[in-house]
């Protein structure tokens, strides 16, 4: 079964750091384009970052310089390192698979909640 | 503020047809395929339509999509009570090197 399972969310103070993980089963993370998408409470979906199959990475302007996307081939896991967190980063974070570059996000994880508050 | 534009709400009675519009620009909808997502309360989004008008297996044929120029639309025919939820359009944006989403449309079954 093709599946994504996120973990690593939690409560963190402004300026703090968190690392989110997204474990894949049924397919290979490194062979796909993988994105992180977030949803603030009561708001819509916001794309955060992507890692291409060739390893290239891109970020939304709102997180550029603070977040880093990466992957581990052997663990078949996607990561999102989040530094210098702000209150506006509070959201449910989803990882998602893009099987054909820029075509669609066809598999989503269940989401992990990040709360930035003092 | 979302890059893509959608109406905040749409409604219809059971059995009716509802259409949700999605407007973008040449860097996103105008040059890349559009996808649509359905999000039930408290759950992750699910792919509903991809490549403008294709349905993943398991999605009822009541749902259909189309695209023309820099706009796209999602049609729900034979509206059912279980269709009452939020719908998002999305497309890759060549200028931003990332996906852009619409703000979402809440469909209400009257």
């Amino acid at each position: 079964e093709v599946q994504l399972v996120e973990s690593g969310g939690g409560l963190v103070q402004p300026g703090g750091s968190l690392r989110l993980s997204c474990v894949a089963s049924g397919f290979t993370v490194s062979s796909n384009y993988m994105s992180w998408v977030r949803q603030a409470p009561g708001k819509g979906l916001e794309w955060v970052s992507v890692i291409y199959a060739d390893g290239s990475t891109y970020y939304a302007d709102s997180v550029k310089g603070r977040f880093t996307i990466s992957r581990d081939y052997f663990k078949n896991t996607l990561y999102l390192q989040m530094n210098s967190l702000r209150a506006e980063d509070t959201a449910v974070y989803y990882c998602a698979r893009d099987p054909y570059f820029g075509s669609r996000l066809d598999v989503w994880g269940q989401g992990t909640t990040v709360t930035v508050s003092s | 503020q979302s890059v893509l534009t959608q109406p905040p709400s749409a409604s219809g009675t059971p059995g009716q047809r509802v259409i949700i519009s999605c407007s973008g620009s040449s860097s996103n909808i105008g040059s890349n395929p559009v996808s649509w997502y359905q999000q039930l309360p408290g759950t992750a989004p699910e792919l509903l339509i991809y490549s403008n008008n294709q349905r993943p297996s398991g999605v009822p044929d009541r749902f259909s999509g189309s695209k023309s120029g820099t706009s796209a639309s999602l049609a729900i025919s034979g509206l059912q009570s279980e269709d009452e939820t939020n719908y998002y359009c999305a497309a890759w944006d060549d200028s931003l090197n990332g996906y852009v989403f619409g703000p979402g449309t809440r469909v209400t079954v009257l």
Side-chain angles (χ1 to χ4, degrees):
Chain A
E1 180 188 7
V2 174
Q3 192 176 12
L4 292 167
V5 178
E6 301 101 331
S7 62
L11 174 63
V12 61
Q13 292 188 339
S17 298
L18 273 179
R19 188 178 81 157
L20 307 183
S21 299
C22 169
V23 179
S25 55
F27 72 97
T28 303
V29 164
S30 298
S31 300
N32 286 266
Y33 300 86
M34 299 294 298
S35 276
W36 286 97
V37 176
R38 68 183 180 183
Q39 187 170 35
K43 303 297 184 182
L45 302 172
E46 179 189 17
W47 174 82
V48 172
S49 180
V50 65
I51 184 166
Y52 288 6
D54 69 1
S56 302
T57 59
Y58 295 93
Y59 302 90
D61 287 344
S62 57
V63 306
K64 200 172 295 182
R66 300 187 298 123
F67 290 12
T68 303
I69 190 172
S70 64
R71 65 193 181 197
D72 185 314
Y73 173 83
F74 297 102
K75 295 183 178 180
N76 206 27
T77 299
L78 178 73
Y79 299 101
L80 186 67
Q81 178 67 45
M82 305 185 296
N83 298 330
S84 302
L85 283 162
R86 307 167 180 167
E88 54 265 36
D89 296 319
T90 295
V92 176
Y93 285 73
Y94 299 100
C95 58
R97 182 182 78 168
D98 183 350
Y100 300 104
F101 171 65
S103 66
R104 70 265 199 182
L105 297 169
D106 70 337
V107 179
W108 295 67
Q110 86 287 354
T112 187
T113 300
V114 173
T115 303
V116 184
S117 175
S118 55
Chain B
Q1 187 166 347
S2 301
V3 173
L4 305 183
T5 302
Q6 292 179 243
S9 62
S11 63
T13 58
Q16 275 191 330
R17 186 169 186 248
V18 169
I19 296 177
I20 302 169
S21 62
C22 177
S23 179
S25 67
S26 58
S27 64
N28 41 67
I29 293 178
S31 52
N32 293 297
V34 175
S35 52
W36 291 87
Y37 303 86
Q38 180 190 61
Q39 188 177 30
L40 299 172
T43 69
E46 287 191 10
L47 180 63
L48 194 64
I49 295 287
Y50 68 96
S51 295
N52 308 323
N53 55 17
Q54 302 299 302
R55 285 185 307 276
S57 61
V59 173
D61 58 7
R62 303 187 292 105
F63 295 92
S64 61
S66 64
K67 174 181 138 175
S68 178
T70 59
S71 295
S73 63
L74 172 71
I76 309 174
S77 302
L79 195 64
Q80 298 182 5
S81 58
E82 66 222 48
D83 301 332
E84 184 167 287
T85 191
N86 294 308
Y87 296 85
Y88 296 88
C89 61
W92 184 264
D93 191 293
D94 293 333
S95 298
L96 301 176
N97 277 308
Y99 276 98
V100 289
F101 289 91
T105 298
R106 171 73 181 182
V107 168
T108 301
V109 181
L110 302 171

